[in-house]
Amino acid sequence: MSEHDRFIREAIAASEAAVEHGNHPFGAVLVKDGVVLLRAENNIFTGRDPTGHAETNLVRLAGAAYDEAFLADCILYTSTEPCPMCSAAIFWTGIRTVVFACSAAQLDTIGDVGFDLTSREVFARARQPVTIIGPVLEAEAMAVHERYWTAP
C-alpha cells in the first residue's frame, strides 16, 4: 500500500459524500505530518456556487485557519486531478504538494466535463514549485465518477 492510499481514500469518501448531498463527485483533504486537518467536498449545487469545487472549498478553509508557511508543509489530497481554477487556488494558498486519484484525462473518457489543461501544465507555469503526484488509486476514484456521470 502506498503512503498516499489512506488519504486518497478519504478524499474519495468525501467525493461520495458530495454525491449523497446532491453535488458532483469531488472531495479533498488537507494533511500535515500524517494528520487530516480539513475535509471538503464539492458543493456547487447545494451552495449555489459554480466555484464550489472540493479543492477551492478546502483552500478557503485552509487559508482562513493557517498561514502560508504552515500550508507549505501540508499535502492536499483530492479525488480527482484539480482543474485550472483549483490549481491556481491551491498555489495562491501556499500549498506546495498535491496528490490526486483520478486524472483529468481519465475523467474525460466519460464525457466532456472539464478543461483540456492539466494541473501539471498549470503548476509548471507557477513561479514557485508545486509537486503533483498522481494518479493514485485511479480506478477507485473513477468508479465514483462512472456511477455519477453515467447514471440514467
Side-chain angles (χ1 to χ4, degrees):
M1 179 158 68
S2 154
E3 66 182 285
H4 301 299
D5 290 3
R6 171 182 160 213
F7 302 115
I8 282 292
R9 285 193 172 111
E10 289 199 37
I12 293 168
S15 76
E16 292 170 329
V19 172
E20 291 170 14
H21 297 135
N23 296 290
H24 289 152
F26 299 94
V29 297
L30 185 69
V31 174
K32 182 169 174 139
D33 299 327
V35 176
V36 174
L37 303 175
L38 298 168
R39 291 175 178 78
E41 60 189 57
N42 181 290
N43 71 344
I44 66 165
F45 295 127
T46 57
R48 297 182 54 112
D49 178 1
T51 68
H53 295 192
E55 299 89 345
T56 55
N57 289 336
L58 186 74
V59 298
R60 282 184 195 112
L61 295 170
Y66 306 107
D67 65 29
E68 194 171 330
F70 181 89
L71 291 170
D73 294 327
C74 292
I75 302 173
L76 189 150
Y77 289 89
T78 182
S79 65
T80 307
E81 184 175 1
C83 74
M85 174 187 72
C86 292
S87 296
I90 291 164
F91 173 80
W92 289 118
T93 305
I95 296 166
R96 295 295 178 249
T97 304
V98 176
V99 181
F100 67 85
C102 180
S103 68
Q106 188 64 32
L107 181 58
D108 281 346
T109 65
I110 294 175
D112 189 16
V113 296
F115 279 82
D116 245 355
L117 181 64
T118 69
S119 60
R120 281 188 173 86
E121 291 171 288
V122 173
F123 290 133
R125 302 297 301 263
R127 302 235 190 269
Q128 294 152 358
V130 177
T131 301
I132 183 90
I133 300 166
V136 175
L137 300 177
E138 187 168 39
E140 290 182 34
M142 189 62 179
V144 180
H145 285 295
E146 287 171 342
R147 285 192 302 273
Y148 180 83
W149 299 104
T150 61

